[in-house]
Amino acid sequence: MIASSFPAGARSRLDFWQVASGAILALFICVHLILEGSVVISPKLTDGIAWLLEATCVAQIAAPCLVLLILFHFWIAARKMPFRAGELGVFVRHSRCLREADTWLWLVQVFTAVVILAGAFFHVYTVMTDLPITVAGSAKRLHSGWMAFHAVFLPCVILHTGIGIYRLAVKFGICSKAARNRVRATIWIVMGCYLTLGTLALSRVWFLE
Amino acid sequence: MGRNLKFEIFRYNPLTPDIQPCMRTYRLEEHPSMTLFIALNMIRERQDASLQFDFCCRAGICGSCGMVINGRPGLACHTQTCDLPNHIALHPLPVFKLLGDLCVDTGVWFRNMGTKIESWIHTAKAFEPSVPEERMDNALANHIFELDRCIECGCCVGACGTARMREDFIGATAINRLARFHIDPRDNRSPADFYDIIGDDTGIFGCMGLLACDNVCPKNLPLQDQLGIMRRMVTIESVRGIIPAFIRNKLQGCGCKQKC
Ligand code: HEM
Ligand code: SF4
Ligand code: SF4
Ligand code: FES
């Protein structure tokens, strides 16, 4: 341990903003995927929800805010990412030796983050420049090549959100050591449900007449 | 007949820098209840007198024998060979200064850490030698003792991905130590004081919650829970003035039964 390189006295609220932005994004994703999943029941229902959100301008306002929030979240969380020369190598070698599930989970978090950062921008851009949002429009997009994008983007978002929530609970002492295995199992099950819902929704739109 | 164990041991002496670091192989027949402490001593006595490693109590009390055993930090005296495969690789703990082969200097690191976090009771009360000691509730004394059991072996630091990447990271053992002062009613430091010590990326905010520290600690200290309590306290302290007090108090509830 060497002396701190941090300026003394400067209040660092970065961790607070990191969880706050992460938690808001996680909440958004959980709601977004469920609303999107309504297509499994009926495409009409989804169109109705989309119309409601657009007519009330919620979609138009939320979209740019979310992009900004993602950028903000990335800007804060990136200070933890192994960018500096050699750090990633050290960390991967360390994880291999250690065989620790939680150490690996963090690497998953970092890799999915990069995919989401790039993907979220394209995703929001294509959807919001092609209003109104309709299931038929989504089907056209999927068939014009976006299916592959979603097949990668969806699991990444779900993994990052699920692991993020688990890690948040663990890091802030909400999930104690005694509860850790149970919480982790629960998170995997919830992630599985979301993945199933997402996959069903995508295939429903794909096979839309 | 016991198993034939193959040891691969990291060898390097900083005093002879022209000899490159290498892994040297030793073979040994396993005995019942053989620990790595016994095995290493047998190797040194019978095969290679130049092998350096640290031991003292051989009972998991002094913390000198921390090393990386097949990739995971642990106490050599606490590890039985029967729990390991035939092939055993031993490395010195990372992060700490290498003294030679499996020996590292944890002492200087821990002293610097203790100085940085001011690892002593902070009180304005003058010491009265003639007055009987103040009594402490038994449950609280046990709770403090639970956190005080750290033997400074350095395993949690060696297992910590953050400590490997960031040299100035303070480590789980330091945060556990502060948690111990946090629950000690004799220590008058407030959350604001703790914030000043660990409220940055070299302290609790540097910890990424990878939890390897908790899983390897040979004394089973509740590191994960203490990191959680301290992170919550310091984070809430960091937004004093932004978030109203009643919300901060609601979030606090750290379960340590102390006024925070
Ligand atoms: C779908 C949108 C996203 C959601 C729901 C989300 C959610 C979360 C949550 C809940 C955490 C845990 C917070 C913590 O551990 O303190 C987290 C951590 C993290 N996020 Fe995100 N995030 C999203 C997008 C992104 C993006 C676009 C990036 C960057 C490219 C990113 C980078 C990170 C990193 C690196 C961490 C780990 C930080 C650490 O644990 O130290 N996230 N995220
Ligand atoms: S939780 Fe992880 S990052 Fe934090 S001190 Fe422990 S091993 Fe290091
Ligand atoms: S907290 Fe545990 S692993 Fe870390 S130095 Fe103390 S006894 Fe060793
Ligand atoms: S020799 Fe003392 S802890 Fe192993």
Side-chain angles (χ1 to χ4, degrees):
Chain A
M1 208 190 75
I2 59 174
S4 161
S5 56
F6 227 75
R11 290 236 136 177
S12 161
R13 305 199 172 94
L14 294 179
D15 239 48
F16 175 77
W17 292 120
Q18 183 178 327
V19 259
S21 59
I24 295 173
L25 283 172
L27 206 65
F28 163 74
I29 291 295
C30 293
V31 175
H32 176 51
L33 287 180
I34 286 187
L35 293 185
E36 205 50 61
S38 64
V39 75
V40 178
I41 304 173
S42 143
K44 280 220 182 64
L45 179 61
T46 316
D47 280 343
I49 295 171
W51 175 84
L52 189 69
L53 291 180
E54 270 175 56
T56 51
C57 275
V58 172
Q60 288 89 328
I61 294 170
C65 290
L66 278 165
V67 171
L68 287 180
L69 193 59
I70 288 182
L71 284 176
F72 177 72
H73 176 74
F74 173 67
W75 174 63
I76 294 175
R79 75 193 200 284
K80 304 289 182 63
M81 292 172 81
F83 281 142
R84 280 184 238 169
E87 282 180 353
L88 183 62
V90 168
F91 199 90
V92 170
R93 245 176 292 131
H94 180 74
S95 311
R96 277 228 189 99
C97 283
L98 211 59
R99 304 181 301 277
E100 255 328 313
D102 284 291
T103 303
W104 278 115
L105 280 187
W106 185 74
L107 270 183
V108 174
Q109 191 83 343
V110 169
F111 283 120
T112 50
V114 176
V115 175
I116 298 171
L117 182 67
F121 179 74
F122 286 113
H123 174 61
V124 175
Y125 182 80
T126 47
V127 174
M128 296 312 290
T129 51
D130 193 17
L131 290 177
I133 301 170
T134 58
V135 176
S138 306
K140 215 162 70 233
R141 266 200 300 277
L142 282 193
H143 282 283
S144 62
W146 280 92
M147 193 61 178
F149 169 85
H150 281 285
V152 178
F153 193 56
L154 178 71
C156 280
V157 168
I158 291 175
L159 274 173
H160 188 90
T161 308
I163 297 173
I165 292 172
Y166 160 71
R167 287 172 41 72
L168 200 151
V170 165
K171 278 164 70 177
F172 284 85
I174 300 164
C175 156
S176 66
K177 171 156 197 178
R180 186 155 134 211
N181 284 338
R182 205 181 63 231
V183 171
R184 196 159 49 190
T186 315
I187 286 282
W188 279 115
I189 293 171
V190 174
M191 281 198 282
C193 295
Y194 267 106
L195 195 60
T196 315
L197 180 67
T199 314
L200 283 177
L202 279 178
S203 27
R204 182 85 167 83
V205 176
W206 178 261
F207 292 112
L208 200 76
E209 272 80 69
Chain B
M1 270 299 277
R3 292 183 298 166
N4 191 356
L5 298 176
K6 180 178 165 196
F7 285 86
E8 267 196 274
I9 301 180
F10 175 87
R11 302 298 310 268
Y12 178 66
N13 188 341
L15 298 179
T16 55
D18 351 317
I19 304 172
Q20 290 293 313
C22 65
M23 297 298 288
R24 197 162 301 160
T25 305
Y26 303 91
R27 287 179 191 281
L28 203 62
E29 193 191 313
E30 187 177 36
H31 297 308
S33 346
M34 180 187 253
T35 63
L36 285 180
F37 162 77
I38 297 171
L40 282 169
N41 274 295
M42 284 173 74
I43 292 173
R44 181 158 67 184
E45 266 169 36
R46 298 178 192 170
Q47 301 185 26
D48 190 340
S50 70
L51 181 63
Q52 300 182 58
F53 54 85
D54 279 330
F55 282 96
C56 191
C57 71
R58 50 107 186 95
I61 296 165
C62 71
S64 8
C65 66
M67 57 183 69
V68 177
I69 304 157
N70 280 349
R72 292 173 67 88
L75 294 181
C77 70
H78 235 202
T79 307
Q80 296 208 322
T81 51
C82 62
D83 296 326
L84 297 170
N86 293 344
H87 186 162
I88 299 169
L90 300 177
H91 290 84
L93 282 178
V95 182
F96 301 100
K97 182 177 166 216
L98 182 69
L99 298 177
D101 301 342
L102 300 174
C103 288
V104 292
D105 180 355
T106 48
V108 169
W109 191 97
F110 274 92
R111 198 184 55 219
N112 287 342
M113 181 273 275
T115 316
K116 182 173 178 204
I117 66 167
E118 305 190 358
S119 175
W120 52 84
I121 297 275
H122 289 53
T123 176
K125 245 189 226 168
F127 177 58
E128 300 268 4
S130 54
V131 179
E133 244 181 283
E134 267 176 55
R135 286 177 181 270
M136 183 185 277
D137 174 44
N138 198 37
L140 177 60
N142 279 336
H143 193 19
I144 294 176
F145 179 70
E146 172 72 6
L147 308 186
D148 234 355
R149 293 181 301 112
C150 171
I151 56 172
E152 306 199 348
C153 62
C155 290
C156 56
V157 179
C160 174
T162 310
R164 298 278 315 257
M165 293 197 293
R166 310 274 154 98
E167 204 181 342
D168 54 4
F169 179 58
I170 196 167
T173 170
I175 290 159
N176 173 70
R177 179 89 56 92
L178 271 188
R180 172 243 177 278
F181 287 110
H182 171 45
I183 59 170
D184 192 327
R186 293 167 296 184
D187 192 301
N188 300 134
R189 279 182 281 187
S190 65
D193 297 322
F194 290 121
Y195 176 88
D196 285 341
I197 302 171
I198 53 169
D200 63 21
D201 277 350
T202 67
I204 186 73
F205 297 153
C207 163
M208 300 191 296
L210 312 168
L211 302 182
C213 54
D214 191 302
N215 294 349
V216 300
C217 174
K219 304 306 282 184
N220 289 322
L221 269 95
L223 296 176
Q224 175 193 332
D225 294 346
Q226 299 311 313
L227 287 167
I229 290 168
M230 296 304 276
R231 183 194 295 271
R232 188 133 49 109
M233 175 183 78
V234 173
T235 306
I236 291 169
E237 176 60 28
S238 80
V239 289
R240 183 188 291 281
I242 297 185
I243 307 271
F246 75 95
I247 298 184
R248 276 190 283 118
N249 290 342
K250 259 241 160 64
L251 293 170
Q252 195 64 267
C254 57
C256 67
K257 300 190 212 86
Q258 293 293 304
K259 29 86 201 106
C260 291

